[in-house]
Amino acid sequence: MLTQHHIEILLCSLGECFSPRAMSAITYANIHQDRLAGQFGHDEFHFDNNAFDKSYAYMEEQRALTISSLHKKDALSAWSAFGRMLHTAQDFYAHSNYVTLWLSHFDGQTHPAPPEIDPVDPGLLHSPDLRSGKVYYPFELLYFVRSLRRYVLPFIPRDSHAWMNLDSPEQGFKFDYAMQAAMKKSRIEFDKTVSSLSQESVKLFTG
Ligand SMILES: [Zn+2]
């Protein structure tokens, strides 16, 4: 997802849960995952290249770091780890075909509105048809240059990030479903993380 959409998802889903200071640390860590060095060799940051197991493991590693940092009273490290975890959680809906599979339940009918999407349908999360976009270098780099996009796209396979992504509204109506799913999932991850914390740690975490 593009930076501004990660920010929008965070503010809409968790803006009321955190102090402005906590929110800005979480947001900084979240969007920093898309830095150039975070794009290469880090499929687990973004659910790219069908790295589902690695991405789930990365999320749990960052959740554990969030909790252990709070035990050490290190709120900044906790916010950073939580922001990194949410980046991965949010990218799942933009980089996989989850939204397409969910919408296919309604083939031949009117699609439900985007806020109706279930972000954790167990049948879809474990579906053999679930895929995420492969990153084909160097074509994928050229895809990011907007003026070259239409020239390189025909040379990139259909199972690529370039074709599959729901990173921005330009990708069509499914983008709104990816946004809503990412907002709901962010809230689910917040509730899950907080459920294992003492009242004192929750206070420190929420700032
Ligand atoms: Zn990303």
Side-chain angles (χ1 to χ4, degrees), residues 99-153:
V99 168
T100 300
L101 293 176
W102 188 78
L103 287 170
S104 72
H105 286 158
F106 308 96
D107 277 350
Q109 308 166 41
T110 310
H111 289 146
E116 302 297 311
I117 191 167
D118 175 359
V120 287
D121 181 321
L124 295 185
L125 292 176
H126 299 108
S127 167
D129 297 326
L130 188 69
R131 302 270 184 282
S132 76
K134 294 186 187 172
V135 181
Y136 291 94
Y137 293 117
F139 294 113
E140 195 77 29
L141 288 176
L142 300 173
Y143 170 83
F144 281 107
V145 182
R146 195 166 287 267
S147 58
L148 295 179
R149 190 167 284 182
R150 67 197 171 102
Y151 300 109
V152 296
L153 213 42

Side-chain angles (χ1 to χ4, degrees), residues 1 6 30 33-34 39 45-46 48 87-88 91 95 167:
M1 251 156 197
H6 279 292
N30 181 307
Q33 295 295 81
D34 278 338
Q39 299 278 4
F45 289 3
H46 319 280
D48 285 328
H87 183 100
T88 307
D91 270 356
H95 294 170
D167 283 341

